[in-house]
């Protein structure tokens, strides 16, 4: 009796823990435990339920999902969806299949959608939800990249598919996020949020694809009793279907191995395989259990687990101020690659694993791709949560976000939150340092190599670490060092532009520098009233410039930067009438100016004339595409008029000297 009481107490504990993890994963797009840990706890609960003969209310082993929390309208599914039973053993798959044939396909990791067509038209799209009630997302499904709006079949059709965002699109979306926005964690989370948007325009921008995996109902369709035939029929109607193949007990192991070998090269996320009986009628005759249909089973990759030791935890600050922990451990071979690090996601997971330096860990790759910690065998629980930011040194704070503990930097000026400033600083029109991409700069910031602009000129202090970094080496470092040394010489307009002062573009920086004769001291001593006198500089830009240099920290950082560079002498020509007697025509898109009017204004400020069409009186045609076959280019070529780019124009007036 006492043993059963202990079992029931453990079951209650597991119920609460697994349900909390599911809520976090499916409804809040976050993780409080790894998939490995969830599966282990789930299996433990199943064993306890079988041993005790008891299933507690709300048990995740009988509940299909959770109530959807959303403003989207909800609808009950005409054909309820059950989860699939699963195994990680190929031998169990073979035993399950027996002497039957089945269709093996990818189990894609996205958001399941049910599509309904009537009269050949898409009339409804509903998310899986909890398997019984889902959210209506018809408008969003219509902007998926590959969902047919109209099909040839005119009877009622109900099918299921998985909405996914490809890895390539996921990476591109993250790269294009504006400064300050948190990056998406994985394609599944991004897809879930994209499909459930209230504005379908946002959905359309995310490149969502749908891959059909089940024909549920096709009124009056003449389809043979075959799962393969159903896939073929869906393809004939214009649907992209999941990759699949027919197998039997003899060919199944080799087929599983072939799928597994291609995971690393897949552009779409998957978390296993699905085995569906080929004989539809036979599969349906088997019925269901309380939770699982008996005509299909899911296969999850058997995790290759290796032991290693924790050497350090790297705390990486992000643009939002969130500081993410990453475990660094002794190298291990997993799924054919060497692994030395794994994300710990948040402080809650760090605490749950009771980590300490030197602890013996079990690590694996989730879905054979993402390194994770499965278990901490030592559990010394000695790891300290940092009280200062690894980037700026400011105090950190712990936040409770939906039951998940996260660490944040409290400094609004932390460089990690403003990494875009460094990207701007090193860009072509500023210091033009090749080899310092946004990704590289963020790595250097996280490792503490860069705290302010001047630190870029002292990366030689970290030569050994940089050479050892992934993607680097002696040659890459040598090229970077050479680019940095070359960048030490810079014109004054480029220097002012590089600081990223709001409103001060390259052309405005040039106006300011010319007005004060290239004298930095005079420029910095000017007040807002002095700056407004510069033609083309308004009160907002002037105020922004003055405010930047009145900030004590900005001024100190700027002075340190001046100690690393040499400002080139500006041309001493009569700047006010530099373009007098010259006529320019502008065509094509612009890179440095907001629009053609801005460029026209600068030409006229310098004594030149801007015309609308090419004639014999034209001095230069400004076009960034000098090889264009446009009418203006052709006319200029006929008349022997030089065609110059924006960069060549800026060099002409001393901006790029």
């Amino acid at each position: 009796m006492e043993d059963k009481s202990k079992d029931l107490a453990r079951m209650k504990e597991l119920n609460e823990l697994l349900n909390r993890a599911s809520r976090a994963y499916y409804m809040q797009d976050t993780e409080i435990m790894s998939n490995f840990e969830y599966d282990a706890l789930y299996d433990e609960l199943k064993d306890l339920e079988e041993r005790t003969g008891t299933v507690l209310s709300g048990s995740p082993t009988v509940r299909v999902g959770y109530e959807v929390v959303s403003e989207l309208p909800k609808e009950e599914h005409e054909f309820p969806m059950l989860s699939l039973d699963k195994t990680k053993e190929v031998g169990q798959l073979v035993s399950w299949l027996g002497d039957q044939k089945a269709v093996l396909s990818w189990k894609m990791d996205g958001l399941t959608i049910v599509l309904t067509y009537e009269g050949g038209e898409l009339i409804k799209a509903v998310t899986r939800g909890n398997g019984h009630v889902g959210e209506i997302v018809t408008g969003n499904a219509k902007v998926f990249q590959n969902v047919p709006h109209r099909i040839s079949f005119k009877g009622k059709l109900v099918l299921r598919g998985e909405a996914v965002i490809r890895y390539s699109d996921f990476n591109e979306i993250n790269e294009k996020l504006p400064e300050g926005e948190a990056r998406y964690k994985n394609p599944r989370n991004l897809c879930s949020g994209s499909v459930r948007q209230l504005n379908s325009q946002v959905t359309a921008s995310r490149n969502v694809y749908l891959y059909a995996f089940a024909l549920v109902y096709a009124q009056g369709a003449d389809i043979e009793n075959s799962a393969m035939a159903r896939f073929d029929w869906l393809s004939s109607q214009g649907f992209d279907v999941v990759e699949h193949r027919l197998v039997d007990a003899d060919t199944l192991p080799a087929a599983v191995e072939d799928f597994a070998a291609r995971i690393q090269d897949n552009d779409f996320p998957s978390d296993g395989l699905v085995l569906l009986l080929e004989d539809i009628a036979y599969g349906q005759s088997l019925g269901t259990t309380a939770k699982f249909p008996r005509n299909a089973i899911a296969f999850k990759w058997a995790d290759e687990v290796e032991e290693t030791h924790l050497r350090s935890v790297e705390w990486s600050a992000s643009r939002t101020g969130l500081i993410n922990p990453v475990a660094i451990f002794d190298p291990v071979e997993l799924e054919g690659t060497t692994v030395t690090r794994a994300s710990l996601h948040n402080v809650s997971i760090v605490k749950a694993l009771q980590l300490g330096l030197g602890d013996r860990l079990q690590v694996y790759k989730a879905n054979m791709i993402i390194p994770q910690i499965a278990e901490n065998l030592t559990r010394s629980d000695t790891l300290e949560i940092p009280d200062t930011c690894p980037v700026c040194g400011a105090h950190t704070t712990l936040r409770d976000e939906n039951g998940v503990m996260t660490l944040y930097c409290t400094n609004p000026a932390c460089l990690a939150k403003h990494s875009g400033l460094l990207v701007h600083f090193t860009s072509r029109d500023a210091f033009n340092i090749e080899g310092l991409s946004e990704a590289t700069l963020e790595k250097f910031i996280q490792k503490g190599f860069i705290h302010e602009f001047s630190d870029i000129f002292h990366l030689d202090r970290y030569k050994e670490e940089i050479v050892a970094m992934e993607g680097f080496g002696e040659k890459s470092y040598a090229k970077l060092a050479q680019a940095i040394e070359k960048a030490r010489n810079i014109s004054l307009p480029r220097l002012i532009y590089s600081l990223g002062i709001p409103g001060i573009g390259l052309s405005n920086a040039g106006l300011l520098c010319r007005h004060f004769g290239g004298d930095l001291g005079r420029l910095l001593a000017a007040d807002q009233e002095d700056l407004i006198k510069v033609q083309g500089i308004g009160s907002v830009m002037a105020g922004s410039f003055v405010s930047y240099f009145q900030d004590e920290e900005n001024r100190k950082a700027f002075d340190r930067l001046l100690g690393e560079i040499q400002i080139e002498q500006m041309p001493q020509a009569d700047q006010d009438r530099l373009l007098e007697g010259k006529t320019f025509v502008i065509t094509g898109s612009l890179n440095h100016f907001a629009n053609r009017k801005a460029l026209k204004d600068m030409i006229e400020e310098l004594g030149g004339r801007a015309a609308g069409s090419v004639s014999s009186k034209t001095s230069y045609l400004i076009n960034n595409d000098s090889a264009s076959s446009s009418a203006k280019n052709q006319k200029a070529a006929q008349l022997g008029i030089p065609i110059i780019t924006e960069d060549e124009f800026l060099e002409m007036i001393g901006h790029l000297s």
Side-chain angles (χ1 to χ4, degrees):
M1 195 70 178
E2 183 180 347
D3 287 344
K4 186 168 183 179
S5 296
K6 288 182 179 179
D7 287 344
L8 289 173
R10 177 58 175 164
M11 287 163 63
K12 289 178 181 178
E13 181 184 358
L14 291 171
N15 267 11
E16 192 279 329
L17 185 58
L18 291 169
N19 284 330
R20 184 154 56 88
S22 290
R23 282 194 296 271
Y25 187 81
Y26 288 109
M27 299 169 67
Q28 297 157 3
D29 288 339
T30 188
E31 296 179 26
I32 62 173
M33 67 174 64
S34 68
N35 290 339
F36 188 97
E37 184 179 1
Y38 183 94
D39 288 345
L41 296 177
Y42 183 93
D43 290 342
E44 181 187 351
L45 178 59
K46 277 183 64 178
D47 290 342
L48 286 169
E49 288 177 344
E50 290 174 6
R51 186 162 75 227
T52 62
T54 302
V55 177
L56 300 174
S57 175
S59 170
T61 66
V62 296
R63 225 171 93 173
V64 179
Y66 283 93
E67 194 69 25
V68 179
V69 178
S70 172
E71 298 177 49
L72 292 166
K74 301 180 180 68
E75 179 173 293
E76 188 172 351
H77 288 296
E78 183 179 358
F79 303 94
M81 279 176 281
L82 297 177
S83 299
L84 293 179
D85 199 0
K86 62 181 182 293
T87 180
K88 292 186 177 182
E89 301 295 331
V90 176
Q92 289 185 16
L93 273 188
V94 173
S95 298
W96 180 90
L97 183 55
D99 60 0
Q100 294 291 313
K101 290 185 177 181
V103 178
L104 187 68
S105 65
W106 290 114
K107 185 175 182 293
M108 291 189 165
D109 192 16
L111 189 69
T112 299
I113 304 292
V114 182
L115 300 181
T116 301
Y117 288 77
E118 287 187 4
E121 300 285 341
L122 174 61
I123 65 164
K124 189 165 53 183
V126 184
T127 66
R128 180 186 188 279
N130 64 6
H132 296 281
V133 177
E135 300 162 306
I136 300 174
V137 291
T138 311
N140 293 344
K142 288 182 176 179
V143 298
F144 289 179
Q145 297 298 307
N146 63 339
V147 167
H149 289 201
R150 180 179 299 159
I151 59 176
S152 60
F153 179 66
K154 302 306 178 187
K156 181 176 180 179
L157 170 66
V158 180
L159 65 102
R160 294 172 187 154
E162 195 78 358
V164 297
I165 290 178
R166 297 173 178 178
Y167 284 117
S168 54
D169 290 322
F170 170 76
N171 293 332
E172 186 175 344
I173 289 168
N174 262 340
E175 289 169 4
K176 290 182 177 178
L177 285 175
E179 175 70 23
E181 281 196 27
R183 295 192 172 191
Y184 300 105
K185 291 183 178 179
N186 56 56
R188 186 201 65 82
N189 285 6
L190 177 58
C191 183
S192 177
S194 300
V195 173
R196 298 162 64 204
Q197 286 286 327
L198 296 178
N199 181 353
S200 60
Q201 200 169 18
V202 177
T203 307
S205 70
R206 301 284 176 78
N207 288 345
V208 180
Y209 289 82
L210 185 125
Y211 294 90
F213 63 77
L215 193 164
V216 180
Y217 177 76
Q219 182 183 32
D222 184 18
I223 309 173
E224 62 182 282
N225 181 43
S226 158
M228 286 292 287
R230 289 192 171 199
F231 274 119
D232 292 342
W233 188 86
L234 286 171
S235 294
S236 74
Q237 295 297 316
F239 297 100
D240 287 335
V241 299
V242 294
E243 182 187 345
H244 58 281
R245 68 182 65 176
L246 187 65
V247 296
D248 57 25
D250 293 331
T251 60
L252 177 56
V256 172
E257 187 175 338
D258 178 64
F259 273 100
R262 292 184 288 120
I263 288 177
Q264 299 291 343
D265 299 323
N266 278 352
D267 196 24
F268 56 81
S270 65
D271 55 358
L273 302 171
V274 174
L275 191 63
L276 172 68
L277 290 176
E278 161 70 353
D279 188 324
I280 299 296
Y282 173 69
Q284 291 175 344
S285 73
L286 298 177
T288 67
T289 66
K291 184 178 181 182
F292 307 122
R294 290 192 171 98
N295 68 332
I297 187 171
F299 174 78
K300 296 193 72 174
W301 310 113
D303 301 307
E304 182 181 334
V305 180
E306 295 289 344
E307 286 191 12
T308 184
H309 288 86
L310 181 67
R311 292 309 172 197
S312 65
V313 172
E314 185 178 279
W315 296 86
S316 301
S318 68
R319 295 182 181 186
T320 61
L322 177 66
I323 302 176
N324 298 300
V326 178
I328 312 297
F329 42 78
D330 291 336
V332 290
E333 290 292 319
L334 289 172
E335 312 295 350
T337 62
T338 302
V339 179
T340 60
R341 53 198 291 126
S343 173
L344 293 165
H345 300 294
N346 51 58
V347 175
S348 287
I349 288 181
V350 172
K351 293 291 189 183
L353 287 169
Q354 297 179 303
L355 292 173
L357 300 186
D359 283 1
R360 191 158 55 100
L361 307 178
Q362 288 183 330
V363 295
Y364 73 108
K365 277 188 176 182
N367 298 337
M368 300 177 70
I369 295 177
I370 304 170
Q372 300 281 337
I373 294 177
E375 181 58 273
N376 178 9
L377 301 175
T378 307
R379 293 189 172 271
S380 65
D381 201 18
T382 57
L383 185 70
E384 294 185 5
I385 307 301
D387 56 9
T388 58
C389 173
V391 173
C392 69
H395 287 297
T396 59
T397 183
L398 280 171
R399 297 182 190 174
D400 187 332
E401 299 178 337
N402 298 314
V404 177
M405 296 303 298
T406 51
L407 189 67
Y408 279 85
C409 171
T410 58
N411 178 16
C414 177
L415 188 59
K417 300 179 183 179
H418 303 283
S419 58
L421 287 176
L422 277 179
V423 176
H424 176 83
F425 181 84
T426 59
S427 65
R428 183 185 64 178
D429 296 331
F431 275 82
N432 191 24
I433 304 177
E434 294 184 12
L436 281 181
S437 66
E438 181 176 4
T440 299
L441 284 168
E442 288 187 351
K443 287 179 183 177
F444 287 176
I445 292 170
Q446 302 302 340
K447 290 183 175 294
F449 300 168
I450 302 174
H451 298 277
E452 59 179 61
F453 294 145
S454 60
D455 291 334
I456 288 178
F457 297 96
H458 291 287
L459 287 175
D460 55 308
R461 297 169 179 165
Y462 309 100
K463 177 181 177 180
E464 289 185 11
E465 293 99 316
I466 294 173
V467 168
M469 285 172 60
E470 185 178 350
F472 268 86
E474 290 287 352
K475 288 185 178 180
S476 295
Y477 174 82
K479 287 183 180 179
L480 175 59
Q482 185 178 12
I484 290 173
E485 286 306 306
K486 182 180 178 182
R488 288 184 184 274
N489 294 303
I490 191 170
S491 68
L492 185 56
R494 279 182 179 268
L495 171 62
I496 298 301
Y497 170 70
S498 75
L499 303 176
I501 303 172
I504 306 298
L506 185 57
S507 59
N508 295 325
L511 291 175
L512 290 169
C513 295
R514 284 199 315 278
H515 181 84
F516 291 95
D519 188 327
L520 178 60
R522 286 178 57 203
L523 176 59
L524 297 182
D527 58 22
Q528 187 168 353
E529 189 174 334
D530 294 329
L531 296 178
I532 293 173
K533 294 176 183 176
V534 180
Q535 190 173 5
I537 302 297
S539 59
V540 174
M541 283 187 282
S544 180
F545 185 91
V546 171
S547 295
Y548 182 89
F549 285 104
Q550 282 180 343
D551 184 285
E552 186 177 354
E553 292 302 318
N554 286 345
R555 191 60 183 263
K556 287 180 179 178
F558 182 70
D559 289 341
R560 287 190 287 270
L561 175 60
L562 290 179
E564 304 296 335
I565 63 173
Q566 181 69 41
I567 300 175
E568 299 169 352
Q569 183 89 22
M570 286 189 69
Q572 296 302 308
D574 181 0
Q575 295 290 333
D576 290 339
R577 309 302 298 172
L578 182 65
L579 301 180
E580 187 169 14
K582 295 182 174 64
T583 299
F584 295 82
V585 174
I586 308 163
T587 189
S589 60
L590 300 173
N591 298 324
H592 303 298
F593 293 86
N595 49 46
R596 292 184 188 179
K597 183 180 182 303
L599 176 51
K600 178 183 176 183
D601 289 345
M602 172 169 278
I603 291 169
E604 292 174 349
E605 287 163 11
L606 297 175
R609 176 175 176 267
S613 59
V614 176
S615 70
S616 58
K617 296 181 179 180
T618 302
S619 306
Y620 297 95
L621 172 64
I622 301 176
N623 187 353
N624 286 321
D625 184 5
S626 57
S628 167
S629 58
S630 68
K632 288 181 179 177
N633 272 36
Q634 291 179 14
K635 186 72 175 290
Q638 290 172 2
L639 297 174
I641 294 167
I643 302 173
I644 63 174
T645 64
E646 267 181 285
D647 283 346
E648 290 170 323
F649 170 77
L650 291 169
E651 287 175 5
M652 179 186 297
I653 63 175
H655 278 47
L656 300 183
S657 59

